[in-house]
Every structure is written in structure tokens, then in C-alpha cells.
Amino acid sequence: MNYTTRRKFLAALASAGAAGLSGLLWRRGLAFAAADPTGQFTNRLRLPGASGLYSAVAAKDVKQLTVRELDFEILPKLPSPFLAYAAEAGGKRLLNPTLLARPGDRIKLRMINRLKQPTIVHWHGLTNDERNDGFGNYQVGPGKYFDYDFTVRDRAANYWYHPHPHDIAGEQAYKGLAGLLIVKDDDEEKLARALDLTLGVTDIPLVIQDRSFNFEGKLEYKLSREQMFMGFLGEEILVNLTARPYFDAASRIYRFRILNGSNARSYRLAFTQGTRLLDYYLIGTDGGLLEQPFKVRESFIGAAQRLDVLLDLRAATGNEPVFLKSLAFDPMHNESVDEKTGKPAAGAAQGGADPHAAHAAPGAIADGTEMALLRINIKPSPGYKREIPSQLSRLPKLAAAAGEPRRFALGHDGKGNWNINGWRFNMHETPVSVQLGTRETWLLRNNRASMPHPMHIHGFQFRVLERRDSPAQVKALATRQNGLLPQDMGLLDTVLVWPGESVRIALDFTHPFSGDQTYMFHCHNLEHEDTGMMIGYKVKA
Ligand code: C2O
Ligand code: CU
Ligand code: CU
């Protein structure tokens, strides 16, 4: 037992009810899981089924999403208060449904707020007018509702939906509110036929989130000032809200649609068998399929990003399970270095002597720790003979803008507040205006005295043109010109910008909406977003 578990254990002894005791047993397991991942992954991975959590349903059949609190057993037999998007469709009751759509579909639904706080649903990654985009300016109070009515105009891809109220998006998402919106088109169906993929069976969404629990197994979201500054890091990594999950697979090709739904944590994703790293194929990003599959062994994924991958389990040997892991990496919490010299700043306001260790809550898994996320058991499947197609899709042509980029510096004020160009969020201001129909290059430069920031733009998917001054662990994965990573080949709505790094992105501010539209540009570390690392920008008609 580490310090926290011990402290909680002692606290629990004083008030041990039955739930408390099984919570404690669970917690004892946590301590062992970190040391030895094998044998601990005994909970079946939750998958989108016919009803209940994540069940897949045509988005146009969902007329109401009710945001409510309920009890949900994240940890086995330990119900926790949980926030969910509840829906009914075809006589079935769904929680955080996996919404399915095709380009051109019209989605018309009413969000009903049954929480005690304001909320609003944001459709992450979609091109919508500002009202249907859903952000804090449109939040509705308890007992109120909000009607959405929009057409899916974007490429087939793995989008998602989550809350976006002012200041409390992190807490609401943490407590359960998040779902996938999967848009499919002919390219998608061609791929599914070629590889014989079925959603929920061999085509598996994986939502990765880190969480902490109290000794009764109830979700805990308490932030110190330090954690407010760093972002929340949990004690347990959940995949599809399953702690220490396993998945029974056959020796064939699987598709994993991976969403990093964590509030703040980044992962360095790899599939391992024993000490061996397995090859896998990156086939898509935030904005849909790449043109060709790209072979990789590891990829970073920042909060809110999606990676769509194929794993060929015929490449695994013997009966040993395969693990989806996050490999160790340097989390680069450099908040307290001097911007010019790169040395620790004298009297730094945050971080103290050891910036890597100082911020984590007791018990939280430190950022960058190697850890297993999912155990994959393999049964032989000799009949499977499919091969990954060489062509997947076509990307819209990359048309970069001429001229100087618009510059955005990511940093903090030394007093515990992150900002963008020194701006902090003010709902009455839009410090940036762009002209409808124009192309722009944005240069996102992260200060050296910083941490990685997953920067997200509402309203448009973008392309990455160049990465400069990337840290060594990122540069090592660059496979293309201009320091680009494999995932930079696709359309993105969120890009992870590392300390000291400069990332140039190409945006095309073309959309069909008349009138000025306001959108958000922010860090998707949700604690950063909630504390003001966000600006509004206007697309002028
Ligand atoms: Cu996924 Cu502004 O958010
Ligand atoms: Cu978004
Ligand atoms: Cu940030």
C-alpha cells in the first residue's frame, strides 16, 4: 500500500461498512496492479452493446439526451454517483450512446439538463454554426433544455460529444459525461468489408480516462491549487469505464478507435507482447481516415485526440497476452524553468525543487509512468486471411496560406494561470477575428517554461505543416519532412504542443454559415480550459 491507500485504509477502518470493505479490497489490488500488470486484468472490457452504456444507435433516432446523475458501478459492485447522457431509442435505454451518422444526416435533438448545474453539449470536431457547436455562452441552467438541429458536414471520423459549460467542463466530463459520434461513409464501409470488421466485435472503440476513487469506490475529483494548475491525474486508468480490463480476441485484424477522454493525461500508446513492441497501423486521426495506413510502434495521444489504428494479432506469437500500454516518457513539466536559460527559475512560483513530482496528488499515477491499459487475450483463428488495403481514403488537398502566420504563445503568468498570448478567457471578448473563406497559418509556440498543451480549435479541422524544436522523444517519432509525426498526416482538431515546440498549422475558414460565428480555441487539458486557457475567436462573414 502506498501512502494514500494506507491513509484511506485507516480512515476506512473507522467507518467500515460492507461497501467500504470491498472498496478497500479493490484498492489493495490497485497497489499490486501497478507493480505487476499480468493476472490483474480481470474485468471484461465494456463494449457498445444492444442497450446500456455506449450502445450504438443512429444519431437521427435519438430525439432527447437527458443529462442526469445516477449510480453506476465503474468498479465492480461499488456503485458511484455518475453523470451520464441518457437516451431512449427503439425502446432501449442508453447511456452515453455511441451515435452513428453519415455525412449529410440531420441531427435534431433536445438536450435536457437534469443536473444541479448549468451544462451544454459540445460536438467535438464537427463543423457547426456557433449555436449548434455548443460552448459556455449557450449553457442552460438546471431544469432547462437546449435544442440542436444540424447537418453532419464533415468527413467520416470518430468525433465525440462532451460538456462545455463555463469553469466546470472538467468536473462534468470527469464524472462521466462523454460519448462518441462515429460518422461513416463509403470508404469506411469498404474498409470494414475488406477486413471483415464489425463495430463492437472486431472494430472496438477504446475511451481512455484516468480517475480516482475514494475507499468506497466512488469517483473522487478534488483538486488542490497545484492540480488545478497541472491538470487532474488519476490513480487508475479506465478503458471504456472498465478498470483493469481484458478483451478476448482472435488472431486476426482488429480496429481500435482510440479516444483520449482523460482530463489532462497524455499517453504513449504501444501494443506489447512480453518485452516486444508489436507493429500497428495508424489509419486515421481526429478528422478521419488517412490516405494510406502507416506502420508505427508507438504514438503519443494528448487529451481529446483520437487515433484510429489496426492491430494484426497474427503477428503475436504463442498464447501470451498482448497489452495495450502507455510507455514511459518524460512528461516535461517545465513550468518552473527559466524561459531563456532552460534552468530552474529562482523562486519559481510553482513546482518547487522537483517540478516532475511536486504536482501529482498523493496516490495519482505520475505523468509519464509506464502502465498497462488493456490486456488482450488471443485465441487462434486460422480461417482469417484478410490483408490491410494499401489505399484507405482521399484527403482534401492541403492548401496552405501565403504570408506570415498568426502567432499564439502558450505560457503562464507565473502566478498559476495558463494563457494564450497573455489572454485569459473572457466570454465577452473575441481577441482574434478571421475572415470567412480565407486560409490562414497559425503558429502555436509553447514556451519552454511550460508543459505539453493539447490545443483544440472549434469549428474547423486543420492540417499540421511543420514542427520545430520538438523535444527528443517527439523528434524520434518524426517520419516526414518538417518534423511531422505520422498522425500529422491526417486532419486534426487537437494538436499536442510540447514545451519549447513550435507547430505551424493550416486552417481554411470556409463554412456555409451566414453571419458572424464565434468559436473557441483552447487547451483541452480540461483544468486549463476551466481556469481560462481559452479564447473566443470570430469568423467574420
Ligand atoms: Cu472538446 Cu472546446 O472542446
Ligand atoms: Cu471541440
Ligand atoms: Cu494546457
Side-chain angles (χ1 to χ4, degrees):
M1 275 191 261
N2 62 24
Y3 172 75
T4 330
T5 50
R6 191 173 176 82
R7 187 168 50 78
K8 287 178 179 171
F9 185 82
L10 292 174
L13 277 184
S15 64
L21 277 176
S22 38
L24 285 171
L25 293 176
W26 173 263
R27 182 158 289 287
R28 264 177 74 85
L30 295 192
F32 292 116
D36 172 25
T38 51
Q40 292 292 328
F41 286 69
T42 50
N43 298 304
R44 185 190 297 275
L45 177 72
R46 296 179 209 258
L47 293 171
S51 66
L53 185 72
Y54 298 135
S55 33
V57 57
K60 47 183 187 342
D61 293 342
V62 175
K63 298 294 165 218
Q64 275 187 8
L65 271 186
T66 306
V67 192
R68 49 179 292 235
E69 180 171 331
L70 41 88
D71 275 337
F72 189 79
E73 291 182 10
I74 300 173
L75 303 181
K77 301 201 183 66
L78 295 170
S80 168
F82 184 76
L83 306 185
Y85 294 113
E88 272 177 41
K92 288 174 186 151
R93 303 186 56 189
L94 323 170
L95 291 180
N96 295 350
T98 303
L99 302 176
L100 304 177
R102 286 189 64 97
D105 280 3
R106 183 164 173 194
I107 296 182
K108 229 181 134 182
L109 58 81
R110 172 166 294 182
M111 188 269 308
I112 302 170
N113 180 7
R114 295 259 173 262
L115 304 180
K116 294 183 200 76
Q117 304 175 316
T119 195
I120 189 73
V121 174
H122 167 57
W123 305 95
H124 182 120
L126 288 187
T127 301
N128 273 324
D129 62 300
E130 63 169 66
R131 195 189 160 282
N132 281 295
D133 185 51
F135 51 86
N137 299 25
Y138 291 93
Q139 68 190 31
V140 296
K144 300 278 189 323
Y145 62 84
F146 188 88
D147 287 327
Y148 292 92
D149 184 357
F150 59 88
T151 301
V152 176
R153 303 166 194 277
D154 299 271
R155 290 182 86 222
N158 304 317
Y159 303 102
W160 62 301
Y161 58 100
H162 64 76
H164 219 296
H166 288 308
D167 306 338
I168 47 175
E171 180 182 352
Q172 289 185 5
Y174 180 86
K175 291 187 171 159
L177 294 171
L180 289 168
L181 167 61
I182 298 180
V183 178
K184 296 190 178 188
D185 65 359
D186 295 345
D187 289 336
E188 281 274 328
E189 270 149 27
K190 222 169 93 193
L191 178 65
R193 273 196 308 274
L195 297 178
D196 181 29
L197 298 172
T198 309
L199 187 68
V201 182
T202 48
D203 173 345
I204 312 286
L206 297 177
V207 180
I208 305 175
Q209 298 167 311
D210 60 334
R211 297 292 184 260
S212 290
F213 298 91
N214 72 6
F215 68 85
E216 291 178 319
K218 296 194 163 75
L219 278 175
E220 209 167 49
Y221 184 72
K222 285 190 203 136
L223 297 174
S224 65
R225 240 185 86 86
E226 294 291 275
Q227 292 166 65
M228 211 69 193
F229 183 61
M230 297 307 303
F232 173 89
L233 294 173
E235 301 175 325
E236 178 82 0
I237 315 296
L238 309 178
V239 183
N240 296 350
L241 290 169
T242 322
R244 280 176 276 146
Y246 75 88
F247 172 66
D248 287 329
S251 56
R252 49 159 291 152
I253 295 173
Y254 283 82
R255 177 176 185 175
F256 294 110
R257 303 173 189 258
I258 304 172
L259 160 67
N260 180 356
S262 305
N263 279 34
R265 193 185 286 277
S266 300
Y267 303 86
R268 182 182 175 188
L269 297 179
F271 292 94
T272 64
Q273 190 182 34
T275 55
R276 192 161 73 101
L277 290 185
L278 300 181
D279 289 337
Y280 61 97
Y281 293 84
L282 182 69
I283 58 164
T285 55
D286 302 345
L289 290 174
L290 301 177
E291 299 206 326
Q292 282 104 22
F294 195 87
K295 199 199 307 185
V296 295
R297 286 211 167 143
E298 52 175 279
S299 323
F300 282 106
I301 185 169
Q305 292 190 300
R306 283 85 71 208
L307 291 178
D308 211 328
V309 308
L310 297 175
L311 176 66
D312 190 346
L313 286 173
R314 291 172 297 187
T317 47
N319 294 327
E320 208 187 335
V322 166
F323 278 90
L324 171 62
K325 273 191 177 176
S326 181
L327 304 177
F329 64 93
D330 179 351
M332 300 197 70
H333 289 182
N334 296 340
E335 303 78 33
S336 49
V337 302
D338 183 278
E339 188 58 36
K340 295 208 180 63
T341 63
K343 303 257 159 57
Q350 296 83 25
D354 179 1
H356 289 261
H359 312 288
I365 304 171
D367 210 1
T369 305
E370 169 164 342
M371 56 201 165
L373 310 177
L374 169 69
R375 173 186 168 123
I376 303 172
N377 301 319
I378 311 166
K379 282 201 205 73
S381 175
Y384 188 82
K385 297 275 186 282
R386 312 294 180 99
E387 294 302 333
I388 297 174
S390 57
Q391 191 69 31
L392 299 169
S393 186
R394 283 254 168 270
L395 284 175
K397 236 180 65 227
L398 198 170
E404 281 298 294
R406 201 187 278 270
R407 293 165 174 274
F408 296 91
L410 314 177
H412 66 85
D413 61 6
K415 299 189 207 94
N417 299 307
W418 295 103
N419 59 43
I420 301 172
N421 280 354
W423 299 312
R424 297 188 57 219
F425 184 65
N426 178 331
M427 71 170 117
H428 306 294
E429 286 173 11
T430 45
V432 172
S433 286
V434 301
Q435 187 58 48
L436 173 66
T438 56
R439 295 191 192 111
E440 293 202 6
T441 304
W442 285 13
L443 178 67
L444 314 182
R445 183 187 178 276
N446 196 352
N447 287 356
R448 196 141 54 152
S450 192
M451 58 182 281
H453 295 289
M455 298 306 296
H456 169 53
I457 297 171
H458 287 214
F460 301 89
Q461 296 279 331
F462 57 82
R463 304 289 294 273
V464 183
L465 298 171
E466 183 185 37
R467 284 180 190 267
R468 266 202 205 167
D469 303 319
S470 304
Q473 62 187 2
V474 175
K475 209 177 275 173
L477 302 181
T479 52
R480 321 236 104 199
Q481 287 181 326
N482 299 329
L484 296 183
L485 303 174
Q487 64 220 73
D488 296 332
M489 290 186 285
L491 291 173
L492 299 181
D493 55 51
T494 308
V495 64
L496 191 56
V497 187
W498 292 83
E501 200 178 31
S502 292
V503 179
R504 274 201 307 132
I505 62 173
L507 290 136
D508 182 346
F509 293 104
T510 302
H511 65 201
F513 313 116
S514 53
D516 294 354
Q517 303 291 329
T518 296
Y519 298 107
M520 298 293 131
F521 169 45
H522 64 89
C523 180
H524 220 290
N525 177 318
L526 293 180
E527 285 71 38
H528 292 184
E529 175 190 328
D530 283 344
T531 52
M533 196 180 185
M534 170 157 78
I535 59 170
Y537 76 95
K538 191 176 296 246
V539 181
K540 285 210 172 139

